[in-house]
Amino acid sequence: QVQLMEFGGDSVQAGGSLRLSCVASKYIYTSWCVAWFRQTPGEERDEIAHTEGYGKLVYSGSFENRFTISIDSDKNTVYLQLDTLKPEDTAIYTCAARPMSGGVCYDRYKYWGQGTQVTVSS
């Protein structure tokens, strides 16, 4: 079992930046793939990016333009840097973990954090 806790959500002005942290309760670098998602009311949850084996970082859609995922294996933490924020980035940002074997992620995310709110005002 892995417990995940997110930190860093805040209210910011458009154009600002935030760094979100997803802290895991155990070593994740070689055992777990960790993803960041976001969800707004009434919308489906979207995956932003995730980590894979051997330090590989994978982005979904166009999120790579302004968002950057990174991992600190010593701190069991996956970060999400949010830059040039827009009002439409307002959402709950959540991290999730799925097992990894041989550097390959399993299909289903198994553990989820509680989420952290990001609010961007114009």
Side-chain angles (χ1 to χ4, degrees):
Q1 183 176 0
V2 178
Q3 293 177 325
L4 304 170
M5 189 169 294
E6 300 95 340
F7 299 93
D10 205 345
S11 297
V12 296
Q13 297 271 338
S17 297
L18 285 173
R19 188 176 78 158
L20 308 182
S21 303
C22 173
V23 182
S25 61
K26 59 175 59 176
Y27 189 70
I28 55 175
Y29 191 71
T30 57
S31 301
W32 297 88
C33 299
V34 176
W36 278 100
F37 292 81
R38 75 178 187 185
Q39 186 172 22
T40 55
E43 300 290 329
E44 291 187 359
R45 183 166 50 201
D46 292 324
E47 180 175 322
I48 298 169
H50 69 266
T51 67
E52 293 187 354
Y54 310 109
K56 184 177 180 180
L57 307 173
V58 179
Y59 292 86
S60 302
S62 63
F63 288 110
E64 187 174 10
N65 293 338
R66 297 182 294 118
F67 297 170
T68 305
I69 191 170
S70 61
I71 184 169
D72 186 330
S73 57
D74 292 336
K75 296 181 179 179
N76 295 330
T77 300
V78 176
Y79 300 101
L80 185 67
Q81 177 71 34
L82 311 176
D83 293 317
T84 321
L85 283 162
K86 304 175 181 180
E88 51 264 41
D89 294 321
T90 296
I92 296 175
Y93 289 72
T94 306
C95 62
R98 52 183 168 165
M100 181 200 316
S101 179
V104 178
C105 305
Y106 285 24
D107 288 338
R108 189 174 64 89
Y109 287 99
K110 194 171 183 180
Y111 300 107
W112 295 82
Q114 293 298 309
T116 185
Q117 176 71 47
V118 172
T119 302
V120 185
S121 57
S122 58

